[in-house]
C-alpha cells in the first residue's frame, strides 16, 4: 500500500505521526486516547440523528437521479485513504518491530484497514481495545495530514474489532427483546463510545424499543427502553 503521511524533503526520512521507539505501545496510547474517545462519541451521538433524518434523506434520494460518477469518486477517495493508512501502519510496525499483513476494504462511507498474521498483535489491541482505539486515531490523523480531510476509517487488529462488534450486536438485540417483552427499562454495563454505538445500532433495528446513553465517562452506559 502506498503514500507516506508527509513526503520527506531533501531525501531525509521522517518518522510517521506517532512513530515511537523502544516500548512504543504506551506512547501510541498517550498520544491519541483523548482524540479517539471524542471521535467515537460523536459517532454514537449521530445514531439518533441519523435515524430521525432517514425518512427525509430517503425521500430526497428518491427524487434525485443517481450519479454513478460521484459514487466512483467517493470509493476512489476511500481507497486512497486506505492506501495512505496502510503505508503509515507499515512504517509504524517497522518501528515497533512487529510483523503483520495489512488488508484494505471499503464499507459504506468508511475505509476499512486491518492488520493480521503477526504473533505480537495482541499488544496492539490492549485491554478492552484501548491501544487499538489510540492506534486508529493516529492512523486517521496520518490520513488527514496527507489529504487535508478528517478521516473516518476503521482499523482492526487480529480481528478483535470484528469479533467485538458481533458480541455487542448480539448483546444489544437480546436486551431489546427482553425490554420489548417485559416493558421494563434495562441498563447495560459501562462501555466505550465505540461499544455503545454498536449497541445503539443493534437496538435501532428492533421496532418498539429505543436506546440512549446515560452517565459520565468512564461509567457511561446504554439504557434500553420501550418506546
Amino acid at each position: 500500500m502506498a503514500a507516506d503521511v508527509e513526503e520527506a524533503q531533501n531525501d531525509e526520512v521522517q518518522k510517521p505521526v506517532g512513530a515511537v521507539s523502544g516500548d512504543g505501545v504506551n506512547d501510541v496510547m498517550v498520544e491519541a486516547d483523548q482524540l479517539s474517545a471524542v471521535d467515537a462519541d460523536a459517532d454514537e451521538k449521530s445514531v439518533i440523528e441519523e435515524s430521525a433524518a432517514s425518512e427525509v434523506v430517503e425521500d430526497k434520494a428518491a427524487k434525485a437521479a443517481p450519479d454513478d460518477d460521484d459514487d466512483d469518486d467517493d470509493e476512489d477517495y476511500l481507497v486512497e485513504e486506505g492506501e495512505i493508512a496502510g503505508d503509515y501502519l507499515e512504517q509504524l510496525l517497522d518501528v515497533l518491530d512487529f510483523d503483520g499483513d495489512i488488508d484494505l476494504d471499503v464499507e459504506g462511507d468508511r475505509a476499512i484497514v486491518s492488520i493480521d498474521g503477526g504473533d505480537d498483535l495482541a499488544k496492539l489491541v490492549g485491554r478492552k481495545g484501548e491501544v487499538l482505539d489510540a492506534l486508529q486515531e493516529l492512523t486517521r490523523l496520518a490520513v488527514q495530514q496527507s489529504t487535508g480531510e478528517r478521516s473516518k476509517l476503521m482499523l482492526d487488529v487480529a480481528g478483535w474489532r470484528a469479533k467485538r462488534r458481533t458480541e455487542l450486536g448480539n448483546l444489544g438485540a437480546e436486551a431489546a427483546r427482553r425490554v420489548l417483552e417485559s416493558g421494563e427499562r434495562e441498563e447495560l454495563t459501562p462501555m466505550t463510545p465505540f461499544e455503545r454505538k454498536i449497541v445503539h445500532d443493534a437496538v435501532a433495528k428492533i421496532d418498539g424499543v429505543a436506546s440512549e446513553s446515560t452517565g459520565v465517562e468512564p461509567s457511561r452506559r446504554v439504557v434500553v427502553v420501550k418506546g
Side-chain angles (χ1 to χ4, degrees):
M1 296 185 181
D4 291 330
V5 174
E6 181 176 358
E7 291 184 355
Q9 296 180 351
N10 300 323
D11 297 326
E12 180 184 12
V13 178
Q14 297 182 356
K15 287 186 179 180
V17 174
V20 292
S21 58
D23 183 15
V25 172
N26 288 333
D27 294 339
V28 169
M29 289 185 62
V30 168
E31 187 166 344
D33 56 353
Q34 290 183 337
L35 288 169
S36 176
V38 170
D39 202 52
D41 204 26
D43 281 345
E44 177 202 347
K45 291 177 182 178
S46 71
V47 172
I48 296 176
E49 295 175 359
E50 290 173 358
S51 177
S54 61
E55 294 183 2
V56 175
V57 172
E58 289 172 1
D59 182 58
K60 290 182 179 179
K63 296 178 181 178
D67 192 331
D68 293 337
D69 290 339
D70 286 347
D71 291 341
D72 290 343
D73 290 344
D74 290 343
E75 183 169 352
D76 289 345
Y77 176 76
L78 293 176
V79 170
E80 179 187 0
E81 276 198 356
E83 291 175 343
I84 295 168
D87 186 71
Y88 166 74
L89 290 168
E90 284 178 353
Q91 295 180 63
L92 191 58
L93 288 175
D94 286 343
V95 171
L96 296 173
D97 196 23
F98 284 2
D99 293 325
D101 299 321
I102 299 175
D103 295 319
L104 164 67
D105 197 0
V106 173
E107 182 179 300
D109 62 346
R110 292 178 188 263
I112 308 296
V113 182
S114 60
I115 306 175
D116 296 291
D119 295 332
D120 297 324
L121 293 183
K123 296 177 182 178
L124 296 181
V125 175
R127 179 178 175 273
K128 295 184 178 181
E130 292 172 341
V131 178
L132 174 56
D133 286 342
L135 182 57
Q136 174 177 275
E137 197 58 37
L138 288 176
T139 307
R140 289 176 173 180
L141 290 172
V143 172
Q144 182 178 357
Q145 276 194 352
S146 180
T147 66
E149 300 290 337
R150 183 64 175 156
S151 172
K152 298 193 298 181
L153 72 81
M154 186 69 70
L155 175 65
D156 198 1
V157 173
W160 184 89
R161 205 181 288 282
K163 180 180 178 181
R164 185 61 175 154
R165 184 183 294 276
T166 299
E167 293 173 348
L168 290 168
N170 292 337
L171 176 66
E174 291 167 2
R177 285 191 285 268
R178 288 194 297 269
V179 170
L180 193 60
E181 184 176 328
S182 68
E184 297 182 1
R185 72 197 301 269
E186 182 170 335
E187 286 191 7
L188 303 182
T189 58
M191 299 178 185
T192 67
F194 163 75
E195 293 171 330
R196 294 196 302 270
K197 182 182 184 302
I198 296 173
V199 174
H200 285 309
D201 288 342
V203 173
K205 294 178 181 178
I206 299 179
D207 294 334
V209 292
S211 62
E212 59 186 24
S213 291
T214 185
V216 179
E217 301 289 2
S219 299
R220 194 163 172 79
R221 65 188 67 208
V222 174
V223 178
V224 184
V225 297
K226 192 168 183 178

